[in-house]
Coordinates of all heavy atoms in Angstrom, one line a residue:
P126 N -4.5 7.1 16.3 CA -3.8 7.8 17.4 C -4.6 9.0 17.8 O -4.7 9.2 19.0 CB -2.5 8.4 16.8 CG -2.5 7.7 15.4 CD -3.7 7.0 15.1
T127 N -5.4 9.7 16.9 CA -6.3 10.7 17.3 C -7.6 10.4 16.6 O -7.7 9.5 15.8 CB -5.9 12.1 16.8 OG1 -5.7 12.0 15.4 CG2 -4.4 12.4 17.5
Q128 N -8.7 11.1 16.9 CA -10.0 10.9 16.3 C -10.0 11.2 14.8 O -10.9 10.8 14.1 CB -11.1 11.7 16.9 CG -11.4 11.1 18.3 CD -12.6 11.9 19.0 OE1 -12.9 13.1 18.5 NE2 -13.3 11.3 19.9
T129 N -9.1 12.0 14.4 CA -9.1 12.5 12.9 C -7.8 11.9 12.2 O -7.5 12.4 11.1 CB -9.0 14.0 12.9 OG1 -7.8 14.5 13.6 CG2 -10.2 14.7 13.5
Q130 N -7.3 10.8 12.7 CA -6.2 10.2 12.0 C -6.3 8.7 12.1 O -6.6 8.2 13.1 CB -4.9 10.6 12.7 CG -3.7 10.4 11.8 CD -2.4 11.0 12.4 OE1 -2.1 10.8 13.6 NE2 -1.6 11.7 11.6
I131 N -6.0 8.0 10.9 CA -6.0 6.6 10.8 C -4.7 6.1 10.2 O -4.2 6.7 9.3 CB -7.2 6.1 9.8 CG1 -8.5 6.7 10.2 CG2 -7.2 4.7 9.6 CD1 -9.6 6.5 9.2
V132 N -4.0 5.2 10.9 CA -2.8 4.7 10.5 C -3.0 3.2 10.1 O -3.4 2.3 10.8 CB -1.8 4.7 11.5 CG1 -0.4 4.1 11.1 CG2 -1.6 6.1 12.1
V133 N -2.8 2.9 8.8 CA -2.9 1.5 8.3 C -1.5 1.0 8.1 O -0.6 1.5 7.4 CB -3.5 1.6 6.9 CG1 -3.7 0.1 6.3 CG2 -4.9 2.2 6.9
T134 N -1.1 -0.3 8.8 CA 0.1 -0.9 8.7 C 0.0 -2.3 8.3 O -0.9 -2.9 8.6 CB 0.9 -0.7 10.0 OG1 0.2 -1.3 11.1 CG2 1.2 0.7 10.4
G135 N 1.1 -2.9 7.7 CA 1.1 -4.2 7.3 C 2.4 -4.6 6.6 O 3.3 -3.6 6.4
I136 N 2.6 -5.8 6.2 CA 3.8 -6.2 5.5 C 3.7 -6.3 4.0 O 4.7 -6.3 3.3 CB 4.3 -7.5 6.1 CG1 3.4 -8.7 5.9 CG2 4.7 -7.5 7.5 CD1 3.9 -10.1 6.2
D137 N 2.4 -6.3 3.5 CA 2.1 -6.4 2.1 C 1.9 -5.0 1.6 O 0.8 -4.4 1.9 CB 1.0 -7.3 1.8 CG 0.9 -7.7 0.3 OD1 1.5 -7.0 -0.5 OD2 0.0 -8.6 0.1
K138 N 2.8 -4.5 0.8 CA 2.6 -3.2 0.3 C 1.3 -2.9 -0.5 O 0.6 -2.0 -0.4 CB 3.8 -2.8 -0.6 CG 3.8 -1.3 -1.1 CD 5.0 -1.0 -1.8 CE 5.0 0.5 -2.2 NZ 6.3 0.8 -2.9
Q139 N 0.9 -3.9 -1.4 CA -0.2 -3.9 -2.2 C -1.4 -3.8 -1.4 O -2.4 -3.1 -1.6 CB -0.2 -5.1 -3.1 CG -1.2 -4.9 -4.3 CD -1.0 -6.1 -5.3 OE1 -0.1 -6.9 -5.2 NE2 -1.8 -6.1 -6.3
L140 N -1.6 -4.7 -0.4 CA -2.7 -4.8 0.6 C -2.9 -3.5 1.4 O -4.0 -3.1 1.6 CB -2.6 -6.0 1.4 CG -3.9 -6.4 2.1 CD1 -5.0 -6.7 1.1 CD2 -3.6 -7.9 2.9
V141 N -1.7 -3.0 1.9 CA -1.8 -1.7 2.7 C -2.4 -0.6 1.8 O -3.3 0.2 2.3 CB -0.4 -1.4 3.2 CG1 -0.5 0.0 3.9 CG2 0.1 -2.3 4.4
G142 N -1.9 -0.4 0.7 CA -2.4 0.6 -0.3 C -3.9 0.3 -0.6 O -4.6 1.3 -0.7
L143 N -4.2 -1.0 -0.8 CA -5.6 -1.2 -1.2 C -6.6 -0.8 0.0 O -7.6 -0.3 -0.3 CB -5.7 -2.7 -1.5 CG -7.1 -3.2 -2.1 CD1 -7.3 -2.6 -3.5 CD2 -7.2 -4.6 -2.2
V144 N -6.2 -1.2 1.2 CA -7.1 -0.9 2.4 C -7.3 0.7 2.6 O -8.3 1.1 2.9 CB -6.6 -1.6 3.6 CG1 -7.2 -1.1 4.9 CG2 -6.8 -3.1 3.5
A145 N -6.0 1.3 2.4 CA -6.1 2.8 2.6 C -6.9 3.4 1.5 O -7.7 4.3 1.8 CB -4.6 3.3 2.6
A146 N -6.9 2.9 0.3 CA -7.6 3.5 -0.8 C -9.2 3.0 -0.5 O -10.1 4.0 -0.8 CB -7.3 2.9 -2.1
K147 N -9.5 2.0 0.0 CA -10.9 1.7 0.4 C -11.4 2.7 1.4 O -12.5 3.1 1.3 CB -10.9 0.2 0.8 CG -12.3 -0.3 1.2 CD -13.2 -0.3 0.0 CE -14.6 -0.8 0.4 NZ -15.6 -0.8 -0.6
I148 N -10.7 2.8 2.5 CA -11.1 3.7 3.6 C -11.3 5.2 3.0 O -12.2 5.9 3.3 CB -10.1 3.7 4.8 CG1 -10.0 2.4 5.4 CG2 -10.5 4.9 5.7 CD1 -9.0 2.2 6.4
R149 N -10.4 5.6 2.2 CA -10.5 7.0 1.6 C -11.6 7.1 0.7 O -12.3 8.1 0.6 CB -9.2 7.3 0.7 CG -9.2 8.6 0.1 CD -7.9 8.7 -0.8 NE -7.8 10.1 -1.4 CZ -8.4 10.4 -2.5 NH1 -9.1 9.4 -3.2 NH2 -8.3 11.6 -3.0
S150 N -12.1 6.0 0.0 CA -13.3 6.0 -1.0 C -14.6 6.2 -0.2 O -15.6 6.5 -0.9 CB -13.3 4.8 -1.8 OG -13.8 3.7 -1.0
F151 N -14.6 6.0 1.1 CA -15.9 6.3 1.9 C -16.3 7.8 1.7 O -17.5 8.0 1.6 CB -15.8 5.9 3.3 CG -15.6 4.3 3.5 CD1 -14.7 3.9 4.5 CD2 -16.2 3.4 2.7 CE1 -14.5 2.6 4.7 CE2 -16.0 2.1 2.8 CZ -15.2 1.6 3.9
R152 N -15.4 8.6 1.8 CA -15.8 10.1 1.6 C -14.4 10.7 1.0 O -13.6 11.2 1.8 CB -16.2 10.6 2.8 CG -16.3 12.2 2.8 CD -17.6 12.8 2.7 NE -18.7 12.4 3.5 CZ -19.9 12.9 3.2 NH1 -20.1 13.6 2.1 NH2 -20.9 12.6 3.9
K153 N -14.3 10.8 -0.2 CA -13.2 11.4 -0.9 C -13.1 12.9 -0.6 O -14.2 13.5 -0.5 CB -13.1 11.2 -2.4 CG -12.9 9.7 -2.7 CD -12.8 9.6 -4.3 CE -12.5 8.2 -4.6 NZ -12.6 7.8 -6.0
P154 N -12.0 13.6 -0.5 CA -11.9 15.1 -0.2 C -12.5 15.8 -1.3 O -12.3 15.6 -2.5 CB -10.5 15.3 0.0 CG -9.8 14.2 -0.6 CD -10.6 13.0 -0.5
E155 N -13.4 16.8 -1.0 CA -14.0 17.7 -1.9 C -13.2 18.9 -2.1 O -12.5 19.3 -1.2 CB -15.5 17.9 -1.6 CG -15.8 18.4 -0.2 CD -15.9 19.9 -0.2 OE1 -16.0 20.5 -1.3 OE2 -15.7 20.4 0.9
P156 N -13.3 19.5 -3.4 CA -12.4 20.7 -3.7 C -12.8 22.0 -3.1 O -12.0 22.9 -3.1 CB -12.3 20.7 -5.1 CG -13.7 20.2 -5.5 CD -14.2 19.1 -4.4
Y157 N -13.9 22.2 -2.4 CA -14.3 23.5 -2.0 C -13.9 23.7 -0.5 O -13.3 24.7 -0.2 CB -15.9 23.6 -2.2 CG -16.3 23.6 -3.7 CD1 -16.8 22.5 -4.2 CD2 -16.0 24.8 -4.5 CE1 -17.1 22.4 -5.5 CE2 -16.3 24.6 -5.9 CZ -16.9 23.5 -6.3 OH -17.2 23.5 -7.7
K158 N -14.2 22.9 0.4 CA -13.8 23.1 1.8 C -12.8 22.1 2.2 O -12.2 22.2 3.3 CB -15.0 22.9 2.7 CG -16.1 24.0 2.7 CD -17.1 23.8 3.7 CE -18.1 24.9 3.6 NZ -19.1 24.8 4.6
G159 N -12.5 21.0 1.3 CA -11.5 20.0 1.6 C -11.9 19.0 2.7 O -11.2 18.3 3.2
K160 N -13.2 18.9 2.8 CA -13.8 17.8 3.8 C -13.7 16.5 3.1 O -13.9 16.3 1.9 CB -15.3 18.2 4.0 CG -15.5 19.4 4.9 CD -16.9 19.9 5.0 CE -17.8 18.9 5.4 NZ -19.1 19.4 5.8
G161 N -13.4 15.6 4.0 CA -13.4 14.1 3.6 C -12.1 13.5 4.1 O -11.5 13.8 5.2
I162 N -11.9 12.3 3.6 CA -10.7 11.5 4.1 C -9.6 11.5 3.1 O -9.8 11.2 1.8 CB -11.0 10.0 4.3 CG1 -12.1 9.9 5.4 CG2 -9.9 9.2 4.8 CD1 -12.8 8.5 5.5
K163 N -8.4 12.0 3.4 CA -7.2 12.2 2.5 C -6.0 11.5 3.1 O -5.9 11.3 4.3 CB -7.1 13.6 2.2 CG -6.5 14.5 3.4 CD -6.3 15.8 3.0 CE -5.5 16.6 4.0 NZ -4.0 16.4 4.0
Y164 N -5.1 11.2 2.2 CA -3.8 10.8 2.6 C -3.1 11.9 3.3 O -3.3 13.1 3.0 CB -2.9 10.2 1.5 CG -3.5 9.1 0.8 CD1 -4.0 9.2 -0.5 CD2 -3.6 7.8 1.4 CE1 -4.5 8.1 -1.1 CE2 -4.1 6.7 0.8 CZ -4.6 6.9 -0.6 OH -5.1 5.8 -1.2
S165 N -2.2 11.7 4.2 CA -1.5 12.8 5.0 C -0.7 13.7 4.2 O -0.5 14.8 4.4 CB -0.8 12.3 6.2 OG 0.2 11.4 5.9
D166 N -0.1 13.0 3.1 CA 0.8 13.8 2.2 C 0.1 14.2 1.0 O 0.8 14.8 0.1 CB 2.0 12.9 1.9 CG 1.7 11.6 1.3 OD1 0.5 11.3 1.3 OD2 2.6 10.9 0.8
E167 N -1.2 14.2 0.9 CA -1.9 14.6 -0.3 C -2.3 16.1 -0.2 O -2.7 16.6 0.8 CB -3.2 13.7 -0.3 CG -4.1 13.9 -1.5 CD -5.4 13.1 -1.6 OE1 -5.7 12.4 -0.6 OE2 -6.0 13.1 -2.6
Q168 N -2.1 16.7 -1.4 CA -2.4 18.1 -1.5 C -3.8 18.1 -2.2 O -3.9 17.6 -3.4 CB -1.4 18.8 -2.3 CG -0.1 18.9 -1.6 CD 0.0 19.8 -0.4 OE1 -0.7 20.8 -0.4 NE2 0.8 19.3 0.6

Side-chain angles (χ1 to χ4, degrees):
T127 65
Q128 287 185 339
T129 60
Q130 197 173 45
I131 302 168
V132 179
V133 181
T134 56
I136 61 171
D137 189 353
K138 184 176 186 178
Q139 193 172 357
L140 195 57
V141 168
L143 187 71
V144 169
K147 178 68 175 172
I148 293 170
R149 182 182 181 273
S150 73
F151 294 141
R152 169 103 46 193
K153 291 183 182 172
E155 52 94 17
Y157 296 102
K158 291 186 178 179
K160 292 168 55 172
I162 301 173
K163 69 178 192 77
Y164 298 114
S165 64
D166 56 352
E167 182 179 10
Q168 296 291 323

